[in-house]
Amino acid sequence: MQPEHGTGLELPLPDTDSARHSSRVAEYIRSCIDTAGGSISFAEFMQHALYAPGLGYYTAGTKKFGASGDFVTAPEISPLFGNVLARQCAAVLEQLPGGNVLEPGAGSGALAVSLLNKLDQLNALPDQYMILEVSADLQQRQEQRLREEVPHLADRVTWLSELPRDFAGVIVANEVADALPFERVVKRQKGLQQFRVGVENDNFVWQFADAPELLQQAFSRIETHLDEPLADEYATEISPAVSNWIGDLSASLKAGLIFLFDYGVTRREYYAPDRHQGWLRCHFRHRVHNDPLILPGIQDLTAWVDFSAVAEAAQAAGLEVAGYVTQAHFLLHGGLDEELTEFTSLPQAEQLELSRQVKLLTLPGEMGESFKCIGLARGDIDLPGAFRISDRTHML
Ligand SMILES: C[S@@+](CC[C@H](N)C(=O)[O-])C[C@H]1O[C@@H](n2cnc3c(N)ncnc32)[C@H](O)[C@@H]1O
């Protein structure tokens, strides 16, 4: 997820329709808080703000992706991302005759379009491309986009309402883990406190309460992996939802490989002393800021991913970590050069555009370093090329 303008700029005012929509979302969340007795956890707040049926950021019909939305993702920036991923998927699918592709959280459908196109070119099309999307609005947009852009392949695509059983093949998920509601906690002398959201004068405000046992245990486990305990007033995120989701994906996967892409780091980096404000980020009209309590329903809420927690959840569920690489290494070792063999014969304008896309996807200051891909395998799968070089699994 990349903003086009970056951090530190003043937030633009929402237009009238968006402001009106946000007021409705705020009213809905206030009623949930009221019903809950005065406060809800941050994870519950995030669940409502992003996914309340027909109202949330992902479930109402607003434009989120691309220049006129709030952010762009790798498959939105360039089909090169999906093309390279397709090469890696093909390498797995060829080992699993009859294997299919499953994409949870398909957003605008951009990745599905490029994956299907490239798998077709590679003669590696699966019988079924399954999408599991929690947003009915996004599912509709995905269906329309696929019908328009890959009409000859659209009949292979099916939308699921839950994860399939005994799935064999490849699961791909780009920027889904960061969109799952997470908890925020702060370490205080009196014990671990949970960030909760209450209401004062119709505005959302932070409140604090003793963290539930589950979060206390998770926090203690994290501290045992660090060189020294975290300091008092250290505030951070913990995502039980990501671990549960990995467990669900694992339960669904009979054989094959999961490719998960997201911005994230290892546990040591995640819980480094200088990260005492955590990793939460809010996206609104290509600006990044850190106040999740404003603009409910019209801004995206995310946090970077703790990939050590992903690896641990995967191993606990019986999956093997097949590789952990930066997005840049994934693309560079996964066949990006083969995607660019005709580069020099292209018109200059196309060369410039492709260069721009490659830079955004691979440069360390753009998405190249901060985004990672973790591969999680079940069964005897030969590693696809993208994980064979520059693997950082040992750092998790
Ligand atoms: C940040 S967007 C990423 C979209 C797309 N993968 C991309 O790269 O452009 C997150 C997506 O995950 C979906 N989502 C959130 N929670 C989900 C879940 N539990 N299962 C499946 N999809 C989910 C959202 O509706 C949205 O489509």
Side-chain angles (χ1 to χ4, degrees):
M1 188 171 286
Q2 281 290 94
E4 288 189 347
H5 305 299
T7 317
L9 294 178
E10 257 182 42
L11 290 179
L13 284 174
D15 59 65
T16 317
D17 283 350
S18 302
R20 211 174 283 142
H21 179 73
S22 189
S23 301
R24 279 199 296 274
V25 179
E27 201 179 310
Y28 171 75
I29 300 179
R30 280 196 296 269
S31 75
C32 296
I33 291 176
D34 195 37
T35 309
S39 75
I40 54 178
S41 71
F42 176 69
E44 290 169 302
F45 176 86
M46 182 169 166
Q47 174 70 33
H48 294 314
L50 297 189
Y51 303 110
L55 280 177
Y57 180 76
Y58 282 107
T59 42
T62 54
K63 178 117 174 60
K64 303 156 248 304
F65 305 92
S68 60
D70 301 303
F71 54 82
V72 285
T73 59
E76 298 277 334
I77 288 171
S78 173
L80 287 170
F81 177 81
N83 291 355
V84 174
L85 179 54
R87 289 175 179 275
Q88 303 305 301
C89 292
V92 177
L93 289 173
E94 109 185 329
Q95 302 173 56
L96 291 168
N100 289 311
V101 175
L102 165 64
E103 184 184 2
S108 70
L111 183 58
V113 168
S114 46
L115 276 179
L116 280 164
N117 264 332
K118 190 69 198 183
L119 286 169
D120 190 18
Q121 254 183 45
L122 296 170
N123 263 330
L125 269 181
D127 285 343
Q128 287 193 67
Y129 189 106
M130 305 172 191
I131 294 180
L132 175 60
E133 174 55 67
V134 290
S135 159
D137 169 62
L138 285 177
Q139 174 174 333
Q140 231 174 32
R141 290 171 193 239
Q142 292 156 13
E143 286 180 34
Q144 187 179 344
R145 182 165 187 172
L146 285 156
R147 267 201 311 273
E148 281 169 15
E149 297 187 24
V150 282
H152 56 301
L153 303 174
D155 60 356
R156 288 174 194 260
V157 185
T158 48
W159 279 265
L160 310 177
S161 53
E162 57 183 33
L163 286 168
R165 292 163 73 103
D166 293 334
F167 177 82
V170 178
I171 301 179
V172 295
N174 185 56
E175 292 204 41
V176 180
D178 71 89
L180 301 178
F182 49 84
E183 297 280 2
R184 299 191 75 201
V185 292
V186 56
K187 184 175 174 179
R188 298 236 159 100
Q189 267 194 342
K190 61 179 172 183
L192 192 70
Q193 299 281 291
Q194 179 188 38
F195 280 74
R196 299 183 64 81
V197 182
V199 180
E200 260 175 43
N201 300 325
D202 273 0
N203 293 318
F204 296 118
V205 292
W206 291 120
Q207 295 183 354
F208 297 91
D210 290 345
E213 191 59 31
L214 180 81
L215 290 182
Q216 296 200 26
Q217 284 170 3
F219 192 81
S220 303
R221 237 187 353 264
I222 289 163
E223 280 195 309
T224 59
H225 286 95
L226 304 175
D227 292 336
E228 50 190 73
L230 294 165
D232 279 347
E233 296 308 316
Y234 192 96
T236 190
E237 289 81 31
I238 296 179
S239 184
V242 168
S243 304
N244 294 340
W245 184 58
I246 299 293
D248 292 345
L249 294 180
S250 166
S252 171
L253 184 68
K254 188 172 72 177
L257 207 143
I258 306 174
F259 293 97
L260 288 190
F261 291 83
D262 229 309
Y263 36 66
V265 290
T266 63
R267 177 172 291 140
R268 273 167 191 280
E269 296 164 289
Y270 205 92
Y271 297 102
D274 63 337
R275 273 287 164 178
H276 53 90
Q277 296 297 321
W279 295 84
L280 177 145
R281 299 204 308 189
C282 312
H283 291 254
F284 180 68
R285 307 283 183 265
H286 295 277
R287 268 64 166 191
V288 180
H289 69 98
N290 59 7
D291 187 352
L293 302 188
I294 61 170
L295 304 170
I298 56 169
Q299 69 171 352
D300 194 20
L301 310 176
T302 76
W304 286 42
V305 171
D306 169 2
F307 274 104
S308 302
V310 170
E312 252 175 35
Q315 281 164 342
L319 293 169
E320 195 185 322
V321 177
Y324 171 62
V325 293
T326 64
Q327 178 170 297
H329 285 142
F330 185 92
L331 296 174
L332 295 170
H333 302 309
L336 185 61
D337 52 343
E338 290 164 83
E339 289 298 315
L340 296 169
T341 45
E342 284 167 22
F343 182 83
T344 49
S345 58
L346 294 172
Q348 199 183 33
E350 275 181 50
Q351 288 188 6
L352 287 173
E353 176 52 23
L354 271 180
S355 304
R356 186 189 73 83
Q357 296 173 3
V358 170
K359 282 183 196 160
L360 276 175
L361 293 175
T362 61
L363 284 184
E366 301 287 351
M367 300 176 96
E369 265 299 307
S370 49
F371 280 75
K372 311 290 190 315
C373 177
I374 192 167
L376 307 172
R378 168 155 292 128
D380 198 11
I381 308 282
D382 280 348
L383 271 195
F387 290 131
R388 289 201 201 123
I389 307 173
S390 309
D391 180 33
R392 299 180 177 191
T393 302
H394 59 284
M395 294 169 73
L396 287 167

